Amino acid sequence: MLHLRVICPPECTPRAIAVLRDQPGAAHLLVHRGAAVTPPGDLIEADLAREAADEVVEALCELGLDRVGGITLETLDTALSDAADEAEREAPGEGADAVVWQELVSRTGEESRLNVTFQAFLTIACLLASIGAVTNSPVTIVGAMVVGPEFGPLAAIAVGLVLRRWDLVRRAGTALAVGFPLAMVVTAGATLLSELAGLLDTGQLRSGHQEVDFVYQVGWYSLIVALLAGAAGMLAMTSAKSAALVGVFISVTTVPAAGYAAVAAITGDWSRSLESVAQLAVNLVGIVIAAAGVLAIRRRGQRGRANGRPLPAG
């Protein structure tokens, strides 16, 4: 269940209430007259079955309440109520299969911003990957995969492509285009300092580390894994099963490839450096293609169940 809160001008309140009363997936409807201060108006609350949320939000947006008032959604971990159980039974479809499109746009939009936190996580992940490459430590490589924040912008690009939200595509593309090169430069600098300090054995690195060679070895399975990871990641995001995202992070070699490319470049192994960059590109593109494909299929299916009700395009 989701908790809906709407700030509504008094003149729009009857129509907003009608939207919720006509929705079989809504329960626990409350109206607080004059409770809202900024912006002024009435406060409407209700609990919604997840599969009904998108239809309700779209109807409220058609009333202009996202501009003159406010619409917020929160996930309810527990709802003990016969009315809530009835709403979930009456709502069309299954909650696990429902996509709340406005929620998805908001979530991916927030995670795709280039900011200090994103850059810090990406840089730390690349540094961990470089240490894993130098020390031949798959465990450290896996740690770098988990720390990496790159799936957020990749998911945002997929959402932007499917919904034609080019602002999302530009924002996420900028985060990746700036974030990865900057993280790789910092990693290269750290590798150079390690070499000068005698911490890096370049001869051993050039001889190859069998345990971590998968990072730069590009093949068909690199693309297949990226496609599967992108599909699983988007399914996890759209079904609110965030725990599955950890598996996605561990399965793809985006950050490890970036870190390995920086190390190989500093040690003069340009062949492996370029292979690592190719591995990075294959994984990034594969994730976006699969994520966009899954999202397009889910959008088409939800549109069919909506009996012609339009889904958001921007």
Side-chain angles (χ1 to χ4, degrees):
M1 295 290 289
L2 299 173
H3 181 68
L4 171 72
R5 186 177 64 185
V6 182
I7 296 178
C8 182
E11 62 272 16
C12 297
T13 299
R15 286 180 290 171
I17 294 175
V19 167
L20 292 167
R21 279 182 169 168
D22 292 341
Q23 174 54 249
H28 308 149
L29 177 60
L30 301 174
V31 181
H32 308 277
R33 303 285 182 180
V37 177
T38 305
D42 300 330
L43 176 62
I44 302 174
E45 296 183 272
D47 293 335
L48 301 174
R50 183 176 179 84
E51 54 269 39
D54 189 60
E55 181 178 352
V56 169
V57 170
E58 283 301 302
L60 295 175
C61 287
E62 289 176 1
L63 297 178
L65 298 184
D66 55 329
R67 297 186 300 273
V68 298
I71 303 171
T72 59
L73 284 173
E74 296 176 295
T75 301
L76 294 176
D77 294 327
T78 305
L80 303 178
S81 165
D82 288 347
D85 293 341
E86 180 68 19
E88 288 189 310
R89 286 193 298 268
E90 292 296 325
E94 293 292 333
D97 297 331
V99 181
V100 185
W101 294 94
Q102 298 294 347
E103 176 191 52
L104 182 62
V105 170
S106 176
R107 180 179 179 186
T108 55
E110 180 63 29
E111 294 181 356
S112 67
R113 297 182 184 277
L114 177 63
N115 49 42
V116 174
T117 301
F118 173 84
Q119 189 62 60
F121 271 114
L122 189 58
T123 302
I124 291 172
C126 284
L127 289 170
L128 284 172
S130 69
I131 295 172
V134 170
T135 61
N136 193 29
S137 172
V139 173
T140 308
I141 294 288
V142 171
M145 293 176 174
V146 176
V147 172
E150 73 279 5
F151 188 78
L154 294 173
I157 291 176
V159 172
L161 291 174
V162 172
L163 299 184
R164 299 181 181 179
R165 286 288 303 269
W166 308 121
D167 57 323
L168 279 180
V169 176
R170 287 192 298 270
R171 185 189 306 159
T174 299
L176 295 173
V178 175
F180 268 107
L182 183 56
M184 293 169 70
V185 168
V186 173
T187 302
T191 303
L192 181 59
L193 290 176
S194 298
E195 186 176 13
L196 294 175
L199 298 176
L200 175 61
D201 186 352
T202 58
Q204 184 181 5
L205 186 64
R206 288 171 181 167
S207 66
H209 284 158
Q210 187 174 0
E211 296 294 330
V212 298
D213 283 352
F214 70 92
V215 172
Y216 65 85
Q217 291 177 344
V218 187
W220 282 109
Y221 278 110
S222 300
L223 178 60
I224 292 171
V225 169
L227 292 172
L228 293 173
M234 186 52 69
L235 282 172
M237 291 196 75
T238 55
S239 62
K241 296 184 181 296
S242 57
L245 286 176
V246 177
V248 173
F249 300 151
I250 295 175
S251 65
V252 293
T253 52
T254 49
V255 163
Y260 201 111
V263 173
I266 290 300
T267 59
D269 192 344
W270 292 105
S271 175
R272 288 182 182 174
S273 180
L274 292 176
E275 286 183 82
S276 297
V277 172
Q279 178 81 284
L280 173 63
V282 167
N283 276 267
L284 293 177
V285 172
I287 290 172
V288 170
I289 290 174
V294 167
L295 196 60
I297 292 172
R298 300 203 71 172
R299 187 170 188 252
R300 183 182 296 273
Q302 192 165 340
R303 175 179 287 169
R305 291 191 299 269
N307 294 322
R309 176 178 56 85
L311 293 175

